[in-house]
Amino acid sequence: MSARRLPPPPRAPLPFSLPTFTGTRLANGVAVRAARWGRRPTVAVAVLFPGAGSAADPPAREGMAEITGDTFLGGTRRRNARELGEALDDLAAILEVSTGSDSSVARLFVLEKDLDEGLALLAEVLTESTFPEDEFEKNRRRQIDVLAEQRSEPDFLARERLLDRLYPGHPYGRLTSTEKGLASLSQGDIAAFAASRFSLANATLILAGAADPDALLYAAERAFGGLPAGVLSPPAAVPPPPAIPGFSIHLVNRPGSVQTNLLFARPALARRHPRFTTALVANQSLGGGASSRLFHVLREERSLTYGAYSSVSARVAGGQFGASIDCRTEVTREACAGLFDLIRAYASEGPTAEEHDRSRKYLLGSFPIPRETPGGVAQDEITRLLHGLPEDEWATWRDRVNDVSREEAFLTAQEFFDPATGILAAVGDAKLIRPVLESFGETTLWDADGPRS
């Protein structure tokens, strides 16, 4: 047999320059940003509505933002839902309104030659939607059915309980809408929500494509410049997340389950925190992919799971570090202990020199991939505007990643990854795994709807 050959070492990252966005404000006050990017004859358009996400759902109306976004395409003063769909099909265009926690975004993907018609349709949807009763009711019922299906999935139950306990009483504590919230909504509720939260005066229109940025700005002015922008009402600030005292365990009972889902999370950094990039580098070594420590030890060496990962995620008012592992019920103790031992050791020692070097190279090399298309750079601009990041956030990102030292990664992990504080959510057969979990700490038992004991 021939000797096993090792893969060649990775080369230095190739140069990669992102476009600069040009900004203007239309006569009616609508903010517009445009950039030249890509070679394909398509344009990615996005309209960012900060403060129009699920965090703005009124109490007992959970799901309002999501159903509002879904119903925008239900009909306008000129066309019903079917006619809107046909108009988009005629242009081979995609138009959608999606909702996150801190914002909603309307997105349009259209051929450059059809940009004027596509923008006119987008403007019509955003300013003339009538939110018909039948379309509203269809979307509400569909979402209730989706929730019923999701509650059969252990990963959903774990994430739902994790967020509920990580952000108690806070808007970020809701994973999705609730059945009670959806049942309480009316067509008038979502029409009023759209009028107040989806005002163009609060929005930013973003365009990216192969065309000259000035041409994109002029097209935006033709479609949106003569529209009433609505009332300028800056979104209410989301309150800071509450402090989490110590460590607690929450078990969602799933009788008969042959698997245990374990999700851990603790408060970490907001996206605009100056050490957020450092936290991403530190996390990559711990659990950011198949070459990370968690994956290598828990899957490759100990065969406890198909995969173990960690992540750093952020919202406008806060952020979290999290880790997860799914395992067979009979190895729950070993998997849970292994997960926490590895995180604890990493927080106390940081990455090895080899881990740190590999993580930086991966992040530097993979950075261009999601930014190859106009939609990718438009999404970057959405993120930058939503989180109040500097103009050069993405132009300097690879330099900042490259400059992160192993000591800086260690100190960030020590402060933000330590599992002495946080929430462990588990889903599995309580009869079998509750005694196991209680050996790690006091365990609260839940079902899909709330506490049991």
Side-chain angles (χ1 to χ4, degrees):
M1 293 180 62
S2 60
R4 184 177 180 181
R5 298 178 62 186
L6 296 176
R11 296 184 300 175
L14 297 174
F16 181 72
S17 298
L18 285 166
T20 299
F21 274 85
T22 300
T24 189
R25 192 171 290 274
L26 305 182
N28 58 2
V30 176
V32 186
R33 309 276 295 173
R36 185 201 296 271
W37 190 245
R39 298 179 180 178
R40 296 179 181 178
T42 57
V43 179
V45 183
V47 185
L48 170 65
F49 296 95
S54 61
D57 287 346
R61 295 289 193 275
E62 296 86 0
M64 182 177 289
E66 186 173 2
I67 297 300
T68 302
D70 289 344
T71 314
F72 261 103
L73 288 168
T76 69
R77 292 196 294 267
R78 304 185 217 179
R79 310 170 217 247
N80 59 30
R82 180 175 179 176
E83 290 167 338
L84 276 174
E86 290 173 347
L88 290 168
D89 287 346
D90 288 344
L91 298 177
I94 299 172
L95 199 165
E96 62 183 10
V97 181
S98 59
T99 301
S101 59
D102 291 301
S103 67
S104 286
V105 179
R107 290 182 174 86
L108 170 71
F109 299 93
V110 65
L111 291 170
E112 183 182 326
K113 69 181 183 64
D114 298 323
L115 180 58
D116 281 341
E117 291 179 78
L119 286 174
L121 274 174
L122 176 63
E124 179 182 335
V125 166
L126 294 179
T127 62
E128 299 183 33
S129 287
T130 56
F131 305 100
E133 181 74 34
D134 59 335
E135 293 291 330
F136 156 73
E137 188 61 31
K138 179 180 68 177
N139 289 330
R140 180 171 67 167
R141 288 179 178 175
R142 185 186 68 247
Q143 186 57 33
I144 291 174
D145 290 342
V146 168
L147 281 173
E149 179 182 353
Q150 288 174 325
R151 294 201 182 284
S152 68
E153 299 293 332
D155 182 65
F156 175 86
L157 296 175
R159 288 184 292 131
E160 180 182 54
R161 191 55 53 205
L162 179 77
L163 292 178
D164 177 69
R165 294 297 85 201
L166 187 64
Y167 300 101
H170 192 274
Y172 290 168
R174 296 194 303 272
L175 175 61
T176 186
S177 53
T178 65
E179 290 88 342
K180 290 182 179 179
L182 292 168
S184 70
L185 292 178
S186 70
Q187 185 273 345
D189 289 332
I190 66 166
F193 188 87
S196 63
R197 297 289 180 170
F198 286 82
S199 167
L200 289 177
N202 298 330
T204 301
L205 175 60
I206 300 162
L207 304 95
D212 183 86
D214 286 340
L216 297 177
L217 293 175
Y218 291 144
E221 184 174 14
R222 287 193 295 271
F224 284 83
L227 299 175
V231 179
L232 178 61
S233 54
V238 176
I244 302 297
F247 173 79
S248 62
I249 302 173
H250 302 269
L251 169 60
V252 180
N253 186 30
R254 195 166 184 259
S257 177
V258 298
Q259 176 175 286
T260 300
N261 296 68
L262 298 169
L263 273 70
F264 168 76
R266 56 151 293 160
L269 313 86
R271 179 61 182 81
R272 60 179 172 271
H273 194 288
R275 292 165 66 189
F276 185 81
T277 302
T278 303
L280 289 179
V281 177
N283 175 76
Q284 187 64 35
S285 297
L286 174 60
S291 64
S292 66
R293 188 181 298 188
L294 291 181
F295 192 97
H296 180 73
V297 173
L298 297 177
R299 173 185 161 130
E300 301 298 327
E301 290 186 359
R302 302 177 64 181
S303 300
L304 294 173
T305 178
Y306 284 112
Y309 302 95
S310 65
S311 62
V312 177
S313 57
R315 307 186 195 186
V316 170
Q320 66 200 57
F321 162 77
S324 64
I325 181 173
D326 301 336
C327 64
R328 304 184 312 278
T329 298
E330 60 267 25
V331 298
T332 298
R333 183 185 301 278
E334 190 178 358
C336 191
L339 179 69
F340 282 110
D341 286 348
L342 288 169
I343 298 174
R344 195 176 296 113
Y346 190 87
S348 63
E349 301 168 3
T352 65
E354 181 184 357
E355 286 174 329
H356 182 66
D357 186 55
R358 184 171 60 242
S359 295
R360 285 188 303 123
K361 287 179 178 178
Y362 172 82
L363 291 172
L364 293 171
S366 62
F367 178 74
I369 296 174
R371 296 165 177 86
E372 292 178 335
T373 64
V377 297
Q379 180 59 49
D380 274 352
E381 187 68 357
I382 290 170
T383 300
R384 190 189 71 79
L385 293 169
L386 181 62
H387 292 276
L389 304 176
E391 288 271 359
D392 65 351
E393 172 68 16
W394 305 111
T396 63
W397 195 86
R398 291 213 296 180
D399 289 338
R400 286 182 282 118
V401 167
N402 194 52
D403 290 343
V404 173
S405 70
R406 186 164 70 93
E407 177 69 13
E408 290 170 330
F410 159 56
L411 292 175
T412 299
Q414 186 179 57
E415 182 174 353
F416 296 108
F417 295 2
D418 187 350
T421 299
I423 304 294
L424 175 65
V427 177
D429 191 327
K431 289 188 300 183
L432 299 176
I433 68 171
R434 187 176 188 180
V436 172
L437 295 174
E438 286 179 336
S439 68
F440 293 92
E442 183 178 352
T443 300
T444 302
L445 185 63
W446 303 76
D447 60 21
D449 298 317
R452 294 178 59 194
S453 62

